[in-house]
Amino acid sequence: MGKEINGVSRSRFEMFSNSDEAVINRKLPKELLLRIFSFLDVVTLCRCAQVSRAWNVLALDGSNWQRIDLFDFQRDIEGRVVENISKRCGGFLRKLSLRGCLGVGDSALRTFAQNCRNIELLSLNGCTKITDTTCNSLSKFCPKLKHLDLASCTSVTNLSLKALSEGCPLLEQLNISWCDQVTKDGIQALVRCCPSLKGLFLKGCTQLEDDALKYIGGHCPELITLNLQTCSQITDEGLICICRGCHQLQSLCVSGCANITDASLNALGQNCPRLRILEVARCSQLTDVGFTTLARNCHELEKMDLEECVQITDGTLIQLSVHCPRLQVLSLSHCELITDDGIRHLGGGPCAHDRLEVIELDNCPLITDASLEHLKNCHSLDRIELYDCQQITRAGIKRLRTHLPNIKVHAYFAPVTPPPSVGGSRQRFCRCCILL
């Protein structure tokens, strides 16, 4: 034991001295401690910063703040917080998510852009104070930006896209969903100067027409993901241009684009063999003819949303069962012509045993318990939707569960009218539905 000072041995006193507070600080080099701290999340880093002076220095070192997600604190984040973070992190910061941080505006993001010039991924999803000024700042100071999420930043206009095209040539993924002021002019400026675009999310950009898609098809050969949900003005003409120019396309969403016909499905089948995800909900003009061409050419399909494609029949399911062995998720809700025979082919297809995970059959009135029998050997099936399938019974669901005990079954059964109350004044209530 070393010499005691005020009842504490010298070695222990040194361990807790201001300059060297703990054994771990003496035994491990700073570089290794920094490496350990780099695995901690924001909350843990802030807690560690309060332990001691040494740990405060380590926890707040910019190298530990390369990836920050402030979604859990969105209600408390104001502009000054973003400014302080940017000053602390500087050139270390690569990824920042401010998703839903309503208190952050253009001024704070200008300071951020000036300090964090190596930023590669930035999410401003739902930051409704953001305007074109922020995109001008990003264009001026952040040339390495690759992923930018501006969804629901409704003040963003074509000026933002023009600025980004001038200053962020490495841009690979852009989300401007619900930025409904954007038109073909902004899209044209963007795609001409950002040749590496792989993902475009344009959901709810209701002013976009076929001309915008022509620009995309002509300048984005590496495009992999395209979301055009509820872009109601687009037609086959624009989508065919996309298919002819974007042969690498793997994910396409045109749900709610009611003008789309089988011509678009034919173009997809002929030009985009790598397609994995197709969402065409509420495209009521699509028929078995188009899906036959698609299935016979796109063998890598994994997820299909065909909700309210009201013209399709069992013929589409037969083609999918034969030609699409990787199918995992299939929505057929409100496809009222689907019958047990189509499900029989699907359940006997190559995707059924090891791949199929989710099938949605809400409001398919011709589906009966026989369909559940056809699906009992789909060992990967995790969830089935059966709301308002009036020919499905509790007994049929129970039999399915004997083969697939862990499956989630969502079904609805009309309530039985309760008998009149007998005696007493207590009111009786029936449950309006059962969630199985």
Side-chain angles (χ1 to χ4, degrees):
M1 293 287 291
K3 182 179 179 182
E4 289 191 351
I5 301 177
N6 295 330
V8 181
S9 67
R10 180 181 297 276
S11 59
R12 188 168 296 181
F13 175 79
E14 292 174 350
M15 184 186 305
F16 291 98
S17 68
N18 288 335
S19 60
D20 203 2
E21 298 171 346
V23 171
I24 190 173
N25 297 338
R26 290 189 302 162
K27 297 295 185 181
L28 297 181
K30 179 182 178 182
E31 291 76 14
L32 183 54
L33 286 170
L34 276 174
R35 177 63 175 165
I36 294 172
F37 275 58
S38 70
F39 291 98
L40 304 181
D41 58 29
V42 171
V43 174
T44 309
L45 282 171
C46 290
R47 289 173 178 169
C48 289
Q50 300 176 60
V51 170
S52 66
R53 291 181 180 178
W55 278 31
N56 183 274
V57 172
L58 291 169
L60 300 184
D61 189 277
S63 64
N64 290 323
W65 297 74
Q66 298 183 43
R67 297 171 297 277
I68 303 174
D69 187 346
L70 297 177
F71 178 71
D72 291 336
F73 315 97
Q74 53 180 282
R75 295 183 179 180
D76 302 318
I77 299 301
E78 297 178 353
R80 60 180 179 80
V81 176
V82 175
E83 293 177 5
N84 291 338
I85 287 175
S86 71
K87 293 172 183 177
R88 176 185 304 146
C89 301
F92 286 108
L93 190 62
R94 297 293 188 275
K95 300 178 181 180
L96 174 65
S97 176
L98 297 173
R99 182 165 56 108
C101 296
L102 301 178
V104 177
D106 293 328
S107 176
L109 284 165
R110 177 176 177 81
T111 301
F112 161 82
Q114 291 173 325
N115 289 322
C116 302
R117 304 191 181 204
N118 291 321
I119 191 73
E120 297 176 4
L121 186 152
L122 177 62
S123 176
L124 302 175
N125 190 318
C127 297
T128 52
K129 288 185 177 181
I130 298 305
T131 72
D132 295 327
T133 301
T134 284
C135 290
N136 286 328
S137 298
L138 295 174
S139 172
K140 186 174 181 179
F141 300 111
C142 303
K144 297 183 179 180
L145 191 64
K146 294 181 178 180
H147 290 204
L148 178 61
D149 188 347
L150 296 170
S152 299
C153 297
T154 53
S155 296
V156 164
T157 73
N158 291 334
L159 295 177
S160 286
L161 301 193
K162 292 176 181 177
L164 292 171
S165 70
E166 294 169 359
C168 304
L170 302 181
L171 202 62
E172 296 180 1
Q173 183 167 299
L174 177 65
N175 188 345
I176 51 171
S177 296
W178 309 113
C179 297
D180 55 8
Q181 297 188 60
V182 171
T183 70
K184 63 180 181 180
D185 294 334
I187 298 297
Q188 180 182 22
L190 177 75
V191 299
R192 282 184 171 176
C193 297
C194 297
S196 300
L197 278 170
K198 294 179 172 63
L200 266 176
F201 299 84
L202 309 175
K203 178 178 179 181
C205 293
T206 52
Q207 293 198 57
L208 296 184
E209 302 171 334
D210 288 333
D211 285 345
L213 303 194
K214 292 176 183 178
Y215 296 135
I216 296 171
H219 293 87
C220 300
E222 298 183 27
L223 194 67
I224 294 174
T225 301
L226 179 62
N227 190 318
L228 297 166
Q229 183 174 336
T230 67
C231 295
S232 55
Q233 297 192 61
I234 67 172
T235 71
D236 293 326
E237 183 181 358
L239 269 183
I240 290 172
C241 292
I242 292 288
C243 296
R244 290 175 176 172
C246 306
H247 299 295
Q248 308 300 318
L249 197 64
Q250 295 181 21
S251 177
L252 174 65
C253 177
V254 288
S255 293
C257 300
N259 296 320
I260 301 304
T261 74
D262 288 340
S264 290
L265 296 183
N266 292 333
L268 278 170
Q270 294 165 7
N271 295 281
C272 304
R274 298 185 181 182
L275 193 67
R276 295 170 47 214
I277 299 173
L278 178 64
E279 299 178 28
V280 289
R282 304 183 301 286
C283 296
S284 58
Q285 297 190 57
L286 303 179
T287 73
D288 292 338
V289 175
F291 285 112
T292 294
T293 301
L294 184 78
R296 289 179 176 177
N297 292 278
C298 298
H299 306 303
E300 298 183 18
L301 280 166
E302 296 177 358
K303 177 182 177 181
M304 297 185 72
D305 184 355
L306 312 185
E307 182 174 348
E308 293 189 39
C309 292
V310 293
Q311 295 194 53
I312 66 171
T313 71
D314 293 337
T316 289
L317 297 193
I318 292 171
Q319 296 298 322
L320 293 177
S321 67
V322 173
H323 300 292
C324 301
R326 300 186 180 183
L327 200 59
Q328 297 177 17
V329 179
L330 179 62
S331 177
L332 299 166
S333 297
H334 295 272
C335 296
E336 297 184 356
L337 302 179
I338 298 298
T339 74
D340 294 331
D341 190 55
I343 301 301
R344 177 176 64 83
H345 281 88
L346 188 68
C351 69
H353 295 286
D354 301 317
R355 295 277 185 168
L356 194 62
E357 297 176 1
V358 176
I359 184 166
E360 299 178 357
L361 297 168
D362 299 333
N363 294 94
C364 292
L366 303 181
I367 295 297
T368 74
D369 287 348
S371 286
L372 304 187
E373 291 294 319
H374 299 323
L375 294 172
K376 66 183 182 181
N377 293 320
C378 300
H379 303 299
S380 296
L381 198 60
D382 176 67
R383 176 168 60 86
I384 183 169
E385 303 283 339
L386 296 167
Y387 287 110
D388 289 325
C389 293
Q390 297 181 13
Q391 299 192 65
I392 295 293
T393 68
R394 290 183 174 86
I397 293 173
K398 185 176 181 180
R399 286 192 296 272
L400 178 65
R401 280 214 170 99
T402 62
H403 298 277
L404 304 171
N406 296 319
I407 191 172
K408 302 178 185 70
V409 182
H410 295 165
Y412 168 85
F413 296 97
V416 177
T417 302
S421 178
V422 179
S425 59
R426 183 178 178 183
Q427 187 177 2
R428 299 185 63 178
F429 296 90
C430 65
R431 296 180 64 184
C432 64
C433 63
I434 297 174
L435 184 65
L436 295 174

